[in-house]
Amino acid sequence: MSAVRIFVPRDAAALSVGADDVATALAREIKARGLDATIVRNGSRGMLWLEPLVEIETARGRIGYGLVQAGDVASLFDAGLLDGKSHALCIGRVEDHDYFKRQQRLTFARVGVIDPLSLDDYRAHGGLIGLEKARALAPAAIVEEIVASGLRGRGGAGFPAGIKWRTVLEAQGPQKFIVCNADEGDSGTFADRMLMEGDPFLLVEGMAIAGLATGATRGVIYIRSEYPHAIATMREAIAIARRADLLNARFDIEIRVGAGAYVCGEETSLLESIEGKRGQVRAKPPLPAHKGLFSCPTVINNVLTLAAAPTILAEGGKAYAEQGMGRSRGTLPFQIAGNVKRGGLFEAPFGLTLRTLIEDIGGGTASGRPLRAVQVGGPLGAYFPESLLDTPLDYEAMAAKAGLLGHGGIVVFDDTVDMAHQARFAFDFCAIESCGKCTPCRIGSTRGVETIDKITQGQNVEANIALVKDLCTVLTDGSLCALGGLTPMPVMSALTHFPDDFRRSALHAAAE
């Protein structure tokens, strides 16, 4: 009889709340009791409010125990942990949990299920089927599957991935590159990190498929330095893939680690950084698809975009396109964060509303106070009031409300938030993170901070509010990239939906 497998996440979120201590305590208890059990360090299921989530493999399925601490381990064994018996921390079969079973997991199907660094485990759960099918197709046919899927870049612009791949396929150059943008810097986002830590071979497979589709022979994954666990996992996965001949002279991947500049999430700044230069925005044209990394044709997609390719090739572009709404096809791993009871990752087709995600799935605010604002799309995304919570989460519906879906990060605020302060934060963030190349972003953001400060101090409030609006127009129309160009979105949404906060701050200042 094989040993019972106990799963303990190695995901950074789980590690931050004691998962390593739990794994150590489990190993110690197994040895002391002479039990036949092995510990598998898996990824996170995405139910982050339950981490560390320990799972036991039983004939009935995987039984979960949530919020486990090292001090709970002895009592878990006493209660019959290896048989999946009842305990105060038991949540039952993980797949039956309401948060989990309501999802449509395509990209994250294996995350939290497998040993991330076991290629055998990856194959056993459907891995490499997409790559094998891609190898039987001509490059143009692979591209057409991506086009048929309706896959759009899972970042700010939502540009169709298939069009980008086709452009690189048709471009001429001595070398072609696949660059994965893993510089996940938006507030409230963690899907890229979770996938790299929980299913790294999926990204390797997706990049290999992109290489076959475009004629690229080299891949680069640009990961932010704040993700040490993801960096280590991806490096080990790449080494395993090389030993298995999945990566070789025909297509290989290297890791480049960024220094943490937010602007390097912009594709041309990212290319400059990879080339060893200061991370500054390039003027376009030429587009990276024509002249990208080292002036060669380059596909630049983020982690979630490339990780969708294996599923599309395995199941067909049309099957993938059946999920979603309008021009937003497939699924998106929404990341629920901030002041919310059940924060975590929830993968579902486009079209869910903010209200469903926050109030139903997320359980409302963690503080129990009324919800006041939700920011979607990172620090450059709009702040939506409660009246806009029924907006469907798709690219066009969000844009119609002057919002941004971006990478799917959702940050919740209760009624204690000061939206004038949040508007100031947007300007300040832009000022700190600006690459400095263009004047509207470099100077306009600093002037924005100063002007918001004057408003909150009660100085010429109406005139300065008008000045903020003028600054936002200059930033939108004159910035070289989306950092300056989108900073007005959170500022203007705060002014539009929460105007009283700006005048209230001024009145408080005057009263003092």
Side-chain angles (χ1 to χ4, degrees), residues 383-457:
Y383 291 100
F384 277 20
E386 193 277 339
S387 61
L388 290 181
L389 290 190
D390 293 315
T391 303
L393 287 160
D394 95 318
Y395 295 105
E396 280 66 44
M398 292 294 293
K401 300 294 184 182
L404 174 74
L405 183 54
H407 196 51
I410 297 166
V411 181
V412 180
F413 299 84
D414 71 12
D415 63 351
T416 62
V417 67
D418 181 341
M419 297 308 298
H421 175 79
Q422 294 303 118
R424 185 191 189 280
F425 170 78
F427 275 133
D428 192 41
F429 181 84
C430 182
I432 292 168
E433 297 294 343
S434 174
C435 77
K437 190 166 186 175
C438 70
T439 302
C441 177
R442 183 181 71 250
I443 304 299
S445 55
T446 300
R447 296 290 86 84
V449 172
E450 294 169 355
T451 308
I452 294 284
D453 284 344
K454 290 177 181 178
I455 292 169
T456 57
Q457 292 163 12

Side-chain angles (χ1 to χ4, degrees), residues 200-250:
F201 294 118
L202 181 65
L203 180 55
V204 171
E205 183 180 0
M207 293 182 70
I209 290 170
L212 288 172
T214 60
T217 58
R218 291 184 61 191
V220 180
I221 305 176
Y222 185 90
I223 310 179
R224 63 190 303 104
S225 59
E226 291 91 339
Y227 282 178
H229 303 97
I231 292 166
T233 302
M234 286 308 311
R235 282 179 170 157
E236 192 168 349
I238 287 169
I240 293 168
R242 285 179 182 145
R243 290 196 294 270
D245 201 36
L246 292 175
L247 298 176
N248 46 46
R250 295 186 297 277

Side-chain angles (χ1 to χ4, degrees), residues 222-465:
Y222 185 90
I223 310 179
R224 63 190 303 104
S225 59
E226 291 91 339
Y227 282 178
H229 303 97
I231 292 166
T233 302
M234 286 308 311
R235 282 179 170 157
E236 192 168 349
I238 287 169
I240 293 168
R242 285 179 182 145
R243 290 196 294 270
D245 201 36
L246 292 175
L247 298 176
N248 46 46
R250 295 186 297 277
F251 184 80
D252 201 5
I253 297 173
E254 63 177 294
I255 301 288
R256 293 292 182 93
V257 178
Y262 181 79
V263 76
C264 285
E266 193 278 333
E267 60 183 16
T268 62
S269 294
L270 182 151
L271 294 177
E272 292 284 288
S273 180
I274 293 174
E275 292 177 6
K277 304 169 187 174
R278 181 177 177 179
Q280 286 192 309
V281 175
R282 297 178 184 175
K284 292 185 281 190
L287 297 171
H290 293 126
K291 288 190 176 182
L293 188 60
F294 302 113
S295 296
C296 295
T298 303
V299 167
I300 307 178
N301 285 135
N302 68 10
V303 173
L304 298 182
T305 311
L306 290 163
T311 300
I312 291 168
L313 268 294
E315 300 181 5
K318 290 183 179 179
Y320 188 84
E322 289 175 358
Q323 305 286 344
M325 64 176 286
R327 292 179 51 227
S328 303
R329 312 312 306 174
T331 63
L332 183 64
F334 297 101
Q335 298 125 88
I336 311 169
N339 192 337
V340 65
K341 285 181 183 176
R342 296 192 287 271
L345 182 137
F346 190 93
E347 184 176 358
F350 290 93
L352 276 177
T353 66
L354 275 169
R355 191 179 304 280
T356 298
L357 267 181
I358 296 165
E359 296 183 354
D360 186 7
I361 294 162
T365 63
S367 64
R369 298 182 65 90
L371 181 147
R372 184 147 192 260
V374 180
Q375 188 175 37
V376 184
L380 307 182
Y383 291 100
F384 277 20
E386 193 277 339
S387 61
L388 290 181
L389 290 190
D390 293 315
T391 303
L393 287 160
D394 95 318
Y395 295 105
E396 280 66 44
M398 292 294 293
K401 300 294 184 182
L404 174 74
L405 183 54
H407 196 51
I410 297 166
V411 181
V412 180
F413 299 84
D414 71 12
D415 63 351
T416 62
V417 67
D418 181 341
M419 297 308 298
H421 175 79
Q422 294 303 118
R424 185 191 189 280
F425 170 78
F427 275 133
D428 192 41
F429 181 84
C430 182
I432 292 168
E433 297 294 343
S434 174
C435 77
K437 190 166 186 175
C438 70
T439 302
C441 177
R442 183 181 71 250
I443 304 299
S445 55
T446 300
R447 296 290 86 84
V449 172
E450 294 169 355
T451 308
I452 294 284
D453 284 344
K454 290 177 181 178
I455 292 169
T456 57
Q457 292 163 12
Q459 300 177 28
N460 300 319
V461 174
E462 297 306 324
N464 279 315
I465 286 175

Side-chain angles (χ1 to χ4, degrees), residues 51-96:
E51 294 291 6
L53 177 64
V54 174
E55 299 180 44
I56 309 299
E57 194 171 60
T58 75
R60 308 190 310 279
R62 297 260 285 263
I63 307 300
Y65 299 81
L67 288 170
V68 176
Q69 296 299 306
D72 300 317
V73 169
S75 69
L76 284 168
F77 278 103
D78 290 341
L81 175 70
L82 297 190
D83 296 315
K85 295 290 184 63
S86 179
H87 185 277
L89 300 179
C90 185
I91 66 167
R93 279 176 35 110
V94 176
E95 290 82 0
D96 291 340

